[in-house]
């Protein structure tokens, strides 16, 4: 591959910033020590944090109105992995890639697997797609897929999910995420209870096909593409289904899939308590499923979600093993830059959540001292942990300043030369 982001380039850029980082790190270390926190432990936690990259996130996203492709768009799954590799090289927390089928269906699974593993990357959760029709497809998903009234359509959708499991097995994946857009646009269009029954019957077949050691994730969503009723519309319905399916089925929380102002950290606490939290599709939103960059709109909500996750981690909740993934649509930024900064925002929320003095918080909760209980959280959230995040990246061989290093590398410009634009204009999320 002609244009590669070299470790030498990263080291050169780091060299310009290391002295300042060491000063800031040492100063923060003293501040945190006064609060009884060990900066080295926090840096180790930051280095150990992992979040998967969505393959569909390295291309430019769009809306139903338009999509404005970036220069050097990845044109196939291999070029998507090249761009995921750049993100991993610079932030060091994203070795996992979540594929979407058939968008990423390879000629040879073995070739794709070795291409990724040669770069220290692996395949995280698989994602099926029964929300759009493929050329030559026998049955249309216009009126649904796993919950469709026509058993032939349901069979086709189940078969597609089985193919995803089989391909994922060859790629080394260990989980499968099922999101369906099934729903209705008009009252009366669907029988609400029967639709869910049909969906569950289809999911039971998919669950039966789950390879040894795999987990099955159900992703709920309030609305879109259906605008009146959605079969798997909220966490309660998802939770009921994963309980029905069995011990290897879990509920995945996409942050953008809730009505405005829903208390998502409380849904997370419930799913943790019920032992059914699959993990996350992290993003942010102001109104609907906007798929904006994580931490860009509601950073305090992101912190409060990680506060629940860290509390569960520290209290060793049995079976607590959430899968972290980004699921964003980068319509106006360079996707590589958005993925790097979003991955960093997750580590920030995670490290800040580890700064919460949980003994102090528990005492204040026990005493019903509402104001100081909030202060226990706010002190952690308002602590600038950037020196820890940068030092963790540096020690892991990444960039102290990922975006500046990426821009200095000229990767995007060189990608544009090497990847003549074939990207179709038009609309749509990818
Ligand atoms: C649905 C969703 C789902 C993916 C798709 C790309 O809105 O969040 O996770 O399959 O986006
Ligand atoms: Mn999602």
């Amino acid at each position: 591959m002609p244009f590669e982001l070299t470790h030498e380039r990263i080291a050169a850029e780091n060299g310009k910033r290391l002295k300042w980082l060491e000063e800031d790190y040492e100063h923060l270390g003293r501040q945190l020590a006064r609060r009884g926190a060990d900066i080295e432990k926090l840096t180790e936690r930051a280095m150990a944090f992992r979040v998967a990259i969505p393959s569909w996130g390295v291309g430019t996203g769009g809306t139903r109105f338009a999509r404005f492709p970036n220069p050097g768009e990845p044109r196939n799954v291999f070029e998507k992995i090249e761009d995921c590799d750049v993100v991993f090289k610079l932030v060091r927390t994203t070795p996992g890639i979540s594929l979407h089928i058939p968008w990423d269906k390879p000629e040879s699974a073995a070739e794709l697997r070795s291409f990724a593993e040669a770069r220290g990357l692996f395949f995280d959760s698989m994602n099926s797609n029964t929300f759009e029709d493929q050329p030559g497809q026998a049955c249309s998903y216009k009126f649904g897929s796993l919950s469709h009234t026509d058993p032939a359509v349901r069979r086709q959708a189940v078969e597609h999910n089985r193919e995803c499991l089989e391909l994922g097995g060859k790629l080394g994946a260990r989980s499968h995420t099922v999101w369906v857009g099934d729903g209705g646009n008009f009252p009366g269009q669907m029988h609400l209870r029967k639709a869910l029954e049909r969906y569950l019957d289809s999911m039971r077949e998919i669950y039966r096909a789950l390879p040894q050691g795999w987990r099955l994730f159900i992703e709920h969503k309030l609305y879109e593409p259906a605008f009146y009723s959605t079969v798997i519309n909220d966490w309660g319905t998802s939770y009921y289904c994963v309980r029905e399916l069995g011990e290897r089925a879990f509920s995945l929380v996409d942050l953008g899939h809730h009505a405005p102002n829903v208390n998502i950290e409380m849904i997370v606490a419930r799913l943790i308590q019920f032992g059914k939290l699959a993990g996350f599709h992290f993003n942010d939103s102001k109104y609907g499923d906007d798929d904006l960059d994580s931490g860009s709109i509601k950073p305090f909500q992101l912190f409060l979600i990680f506060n629940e996750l860290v509390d569960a981690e520290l209290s060793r909740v049995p079976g607590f093993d959430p899968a972290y993934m980004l699921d964003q649509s980068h319509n106006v930024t360079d996707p590589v830059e958005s993925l790097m900064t979003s991955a960093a925002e997750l580590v920030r929320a995670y490290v800040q959540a580890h700064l919460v003095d949980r003994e102090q918080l528990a005492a204040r909760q026990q005493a019903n001292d509402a104001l100081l209980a909030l202060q226990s959280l706010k002190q952690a959230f308002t602590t600038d942990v950037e020196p820890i995040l940068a030092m963790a990246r540096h020690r892991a061989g990444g960039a102290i300043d990922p975006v500046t290093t990426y821009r200095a590398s000229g990767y995007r410009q060189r990608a544009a030369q090497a990847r003549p634009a074939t990207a179709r204009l038009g609309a749509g999320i990818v």
Side-chain angles (χ1 to χ4, degrees):
M1 186 177 83
F3 54 98
E4 192 144 347
L5 184 74
T6 61
H7 294 294
E8 291 68 36
R9 158 72 63 178
I10 296 173
E13 292 297 327
N14 284 353
K16 301 174 187 169
R17 300 169 175 81
L18 188 53
K19 189 171 165 318
W20 305 325
L21 171 59
E22 285 166 344
E23 276 175 24
D24 295 348
Y25 187 79
E26 208 256 323
H27 175 65
L28 178 61
R30 279 202 305 277
Q31 278 182 316
L32 295 181
R34 278 203 304 274
R35 284 156 51 176
D38 174 350
I39 194 168
E40 286 303 324
K41 276 220 180 59
L42 292 164
T43 303
E44 280 160 27
R45 289 191 188 279
M47 291 172 75
F49 187 87
R50 292 289 177 268
V51 58
I53 298 280
S55 63
W56 58 95
V58 287
T60 305
T63 71
R64 58 184 169 170
F65 299 104
R67 192 179 80 91
F68 304 95
N70 269 294
E73 285 269 314
R75 301 163 299 176
N76 54 57
V77 66
F78 291 92
E79 291 180 350
K80 290 179 184 177
I81 292 178
E82 286 169 358
D83 292 0
C84 291
D85 183 32
V86 171
V87 174
F88 180 50
K89 273 200 178 105
L90 289 164
V91 297
R92 309 309 289 156
T93 52
T94 61
I97 301 170
S98 191
L99 295 180
H100 219 298
I101 306 300
W103 296 338
D104 302 319
K105 194 171 183 177
E107 304 290 316
S108 149
E111 185 193 1
L112 181 61
R113 184 169 182 168
S114 57
F115 188 87
E117 289 175 353
R119 290 159 175 76
L121 304 169
F122 65 86
F123 294 108
D124 202 295
S125 194
M126 301 295 285
N127 293 269
S128 57
N129 176 342
T130 58
F131 51 83
E132 59 184 7
D133 292 344
Q134 305 305 324
Q137 192 174 290
C139 308
S140 172
Y141 293 133
K142 179 173 181 176
F143 294 107
S145 61
L146 297 173
S147 74
H148 199 289
T149 52
D150 179 346
V153 179
R154 298 199 300 273
R155 260 197 310 280
Q156 176 183 278
V158 168
E159 193 41 45
H160 165 68
N161 279 276
R162 266 204 271 265
E163 282 165 16
C164 292
L165 298 177
E166 198 193 327
L167 172 59
K170 293 177 184 152
L171 293 170
R174 309 252 322 147
S175 66
H176 180 54
T177 302
V178 180
W179 169 71
V180 294
D182 295 23
N185 279 3
F186 298 89
Q189 179 182 340
M190 302 180 87
H191 188 289
L192 301 177
R193 289 183 285 116
K194 289 180 183 164
L196 182 61
E197 270 322 309
R198 293 191 296 265
Y199 167 87
L200 257 177
D201 285 345
S202 301
M203 287 300 286
R204 289 190 182 99
E205 289 187 56
I206 296 170
Y207 188 83
R208 275 195 290 276
L210 208 58
Q212 196 60 32
W214 276 53
R215 299 189 294 174
L216 182 62
F217 301 161
I218 290 181
E219 182 179 0
H220 60 273
K221 183 173 181 178
L222 181 65
Y223 76 101
E224 188 204 41
F227 293 104
Y228 168 68
S229 67
T230 291
V231 175
I232 308 299
N233 63 318
D234 65 9
W235 79 275
T237 304
S238 171
Y239 175 64
Y240 169 77
C241 294
V242 296
R243 284 286 303 270
E244 282 292 305
L245 290 171
E247 64 181 16
R248 294 195 288 148
F250 300 86
S251 295
L252 183 136
V253 178
D254 183 312
L255 273 56
H257 289 186
H258 304 86
N261 306 325
V262 161
N263 187 329
I264 298 176
E265 57 271 23
M266 194 161 184
I267 293 173
V268 171
R270 290 282 180 272
L271 288 171
I272 290 170
Q273 193 156 5
F274 302 161
K276 281 296 188 180
L277 177 66
F280 297 85
H281 279 181
F282 287 111
N283 48 55
D284 213 333
S285 52
K286 183 81 176 151
Y287 305 103
D289 186 20
D290 311 338
D291 282 339
L292 300 174
D293 292 10
S294 298
S296 63
I297 307 289
K298 305 188 286 284
F300 190 48
Q301 173 183 269
L302 187 63
F303 164 79
L304 292 173
I305 288 169
F306 273 95
N307 177 51
E308 294 301 327
L309 295 167
V310 166
D311 189 76
E313 178 189 324
L314 294 174
S315 46
R316 300 186 184 294
V317 170
F320 177 70
D321 178 21
Y324 297 156
M325 286 165 272
L326 292 169
D327 181 5
Q328 300 174 179
S329 181
H330 308 115
N331 304 357
V332 295
T333 59
D334 181 320
V336 168
E337 295 184 359
S338 277
L339 289 166
M340 293 192 298
T341 48
S342 300
E345 285 311 306
L346 299 186
V347 188
R348 185 187 314 282
Y350 177 66
V351 169
Q352 287 174 333
H354 269 287
L355 269 177
V356 174
D357 181 334
R358 295 195 180 270
E359 264 174 55
Q360 176 196 70
L361 176 60
R364 290 171 173 183
Q365 288 169 338
Q366 191 56 35
N368 297 304
D369 188 336
L371 186 112
L372 288 187
L374 172 62
Q375 288 315 310
S376 295
L377 296 184
K378 278 299 202 57
Q379 182 189 43
F381 176 65
T382 56
T383 301
D384 176 6
V385 296
E386 185 56 34
I388 292 173
L389 309 183
M391 186 61 83
R393 290 190 294 265
H394 172 59
R395 290 181 181 172
I400 291 172
D401 182 341
V403 171
T404 304
T405 303
Y406 169 73
R407 291 187 179 186
S409 77
Y411 181 87
R412 178 58 61 189
Q413 292 74 16
R414 289 186 285 159
Q417 285 152 15
R419 302 169 180 173
T422 59
R424 56 179 175 69
L425 287 179
I429 62 169
V430 291

